[in-house]
Amino acid sequence: MGAVLAVVLGVVLTGCSSTGGKRAEDARKAAAAEGRSAVDTPRWTVAMVTHSGDGDTFWDIVQSGAKQAAVKDNIDFLYAKSDEGQQQAQLIDSYVDKKVDGLIVTLAKPEAMKAAVQRAVKAGIPVITVNSGADQSKAYGALTHIGQDEGVAGQAVGTELGERGRKKALCVLHEQGNVGHEQRCDGVRKTFPGQVENLYVDGTTMPDVQASIEAKLQTDRAIDAVVTLGAPFADAAAQAKRTAGSRAEIDTFDLNPKVAAGLKSGDLGFAVDQQPYLQGYQAVDLLWLYRYNADVLGGGRPVFTGPQVVTKEDAARLEEYTRRGTR
């Protein structure tokens, strides 16, 4: 009799647990669909300040992740950007004055940002750095850094180019003074058995980017690979290749719908994904966890979201995600 009761009780408990889990999941999905939070913590405010220029789709994806995490975590999310270091620092100062509950910042030009980030930390505002500035993040007082090691990402590109039999690569830097971009190209040099040449372009004007790459491909026919450091510039490089009559392979850092389509069609060889959606989402979520439970990830080291080399074989699966703005 006892054994029978135990079995019956087990079935009942399993049924209740299953039903409860399903109800909780349904409630969570309903809250997300209606734009309601999944928590009952106070309505905190988190601001993000990045070095993005106009038209850079990478940061749209970062924001997409941050906004979705903010909805879940009952957070007001604010966003501002400037590709000028001093202006970016001023934006941070403005959010410090507003006494936000958390800050997410990029350190593409770390020296220009140092004082502003340290003022935020001194004011008691928890800071998380994303995307760029892994080397300076801890020293400036940030809780952690979320992103990829740019040097390691560059090395992954160099290795891939070598495996593809390339001999001379052109590394296109679209933002002078961005330490992360320099680290990427330097990383390529470390593992690529061929020659790497840097090309500095004005990333704020896409026709000029295309013209600069085209001119280089026309004058140096030995270039058999072009590496762009951002998804929007891959399309300009592909067009420059066509007009220059070059046979160079076009490869890029980062993803967007055009890059996914280019991988699928063969116009692009490969891309390096650092999962920007995850950078935005994790940054907001970790600030919520810190405010709620004093949690910190990384153990004093960066939390890596990349690099991941994606090719034509991955394109079909990634296309859906790029269209919805999460990859």
Side-chain angles (χ1 to χ4, degrees):
M1 186 66 175
V4 172
L5 286 174
V7 171
V8 172
L9 182 59
V11 171
V12 171
L13 288 175
T14 301
C16 290
S17 175
S18 174
T19 303
K22 185 177 186 305
R23 285 176 179 168
E25 177 64 12
D26 289 345
R28 185 192 66 77
K29 289 180 178 178
E34 296 171 12
R36 293 186 285 111
S37 68
V39 297
D40 60 359
T41 46
R43 187 73 172 174
W44 291 315
T45 298
V46 168
M48 176 183 284
V49 183
T50 75
H51 63 275
S52 170
D54 293 334
D56 192 337
T57 54
F58 178 92
W59 295 103
D60 295 337
I61 304 171
V62 174
Q63 287 186 75
S64 177
K67 288 175 181 176
Q68 289 199 23
V71 169
K72 176 180 70 71
D73 293 337
N74 193 32
I75 282 174
D76 280 327
F77 176 72
L78 307 176
Y79 180 81
K81 63 180 177 66
S82 175
D83 56 6
E84 296 293 333
Q86 290 300 328
Q87 292 181 14
Q88 191 186 355
Q90 290 170 10
L91 290 169
I92 291 175
D93 286 338
S94 72
Y95 284 132
V96 172
D97 291 341
K98 291 178 181 178
K99 298 180 180 179
V100 297
D101 299 296
L103 265 171
I104 303 163
V105 303
T106 62
L107 302 178
K109 296 168 183 174
E111 284 306 312
M113 304 292 293
K114 181 177 181 180
V117 172
Q118 290 179 335
R119 276 194 292 271
V121 173
K122 187 176 181 180
I125 299 173
V127 176
I128 286 179
T129 60
V130 298
N131 180 258
S132 54
D135 293 339
Q136 295 82 14
S137 178
K138 186 176 181 180
Y140 288 8
L143 297 177
T144 194
H145 177 83
I146 302 172
Q148 71 178 4
D149 184 300
E150 302 292 18
V152 171
Q155 291 173 38
V157 170
T159 299
E160 184 73 19
L161 289 173
E163 291 175 353
R164 289 166 176 258
R166 301 298 158 181
K167 304 298 182 185
K168 185 172 183 179
L170 186 69
C171 198
V172 183
L173 298 93
H174 60 267
E175 185 183 341
Q176 292 195 41
N178 186 323
V179 294
H181 288 184
E182 298 286 350
Q183 290 168 348
R184 288 179 180 182
C185 292
D186 289 344
V188 175
R189 283 187 184 83
K190 286 185 178 180
T191 56
F192 181 49
Q195 182 182 350
V196 179
E197 183 176 342
N198 285 4
L199 177 67
Y200 294 90
V201 299
D202 181 2
T204 62
T205 310
M206 204 61 74
D208 289 349
V209 173
Q210 181 179 334
S212 297
I213 298 172
E214 181 182 335
K216 191 64 182 177
L217 292 176
Q218 286 175 334
T219 57
D220 190 348
R221 294 293 178 178
I223 296 171
D224 58 4
V226 177
V227 179
T228 61
L229 303 187
F233 304 95
D235 187 54
Q239 293 183 48
K241 169 187 172 177
R242 287 190 287 270
T243 52
S246 171
R247 294 185 177 181
E249 177 179 285
I250 308 299
D251 306 302
T252 191
F253 283 80
D254 305 331
L255 285 175
N256 66 12
K258 280 192 174 182
V259 168
L263 291 171
K264 189 176 182 179
S265 68
D267 287 342
L268 302 179
F270 66 90
V272 178
D273 185 22
Q274 61 174 301
Q275 302 186 99
Y277 175 89
L278 194 56
Q279 291 178 17
Y281 191 99
Q282 285 286 77
V284 170
D285 217 29
L286 288 184
L287 283 173
W288 178 84
L289 284 165
Y290 181 78
R291 300 288 316 195
Y292 174 67
N293 204 45
D295 288 321
V296 179
L297 286 184
R301 297 188 178 186
V303 177
F304 290 133
T305 62
Q308 177 186 9
V309 174
V310 293
T311 63
K312 185 174 184 176
E313 287 70 29
D314 307 298
R317 180 168 53 90
L318 293 174
E319 257 192 324
E320 174 190 352
Y321 305 144
T322 59
R323 281 196 299 266
R324 74 184 185 191
T326 57
R327 287 295 288 271

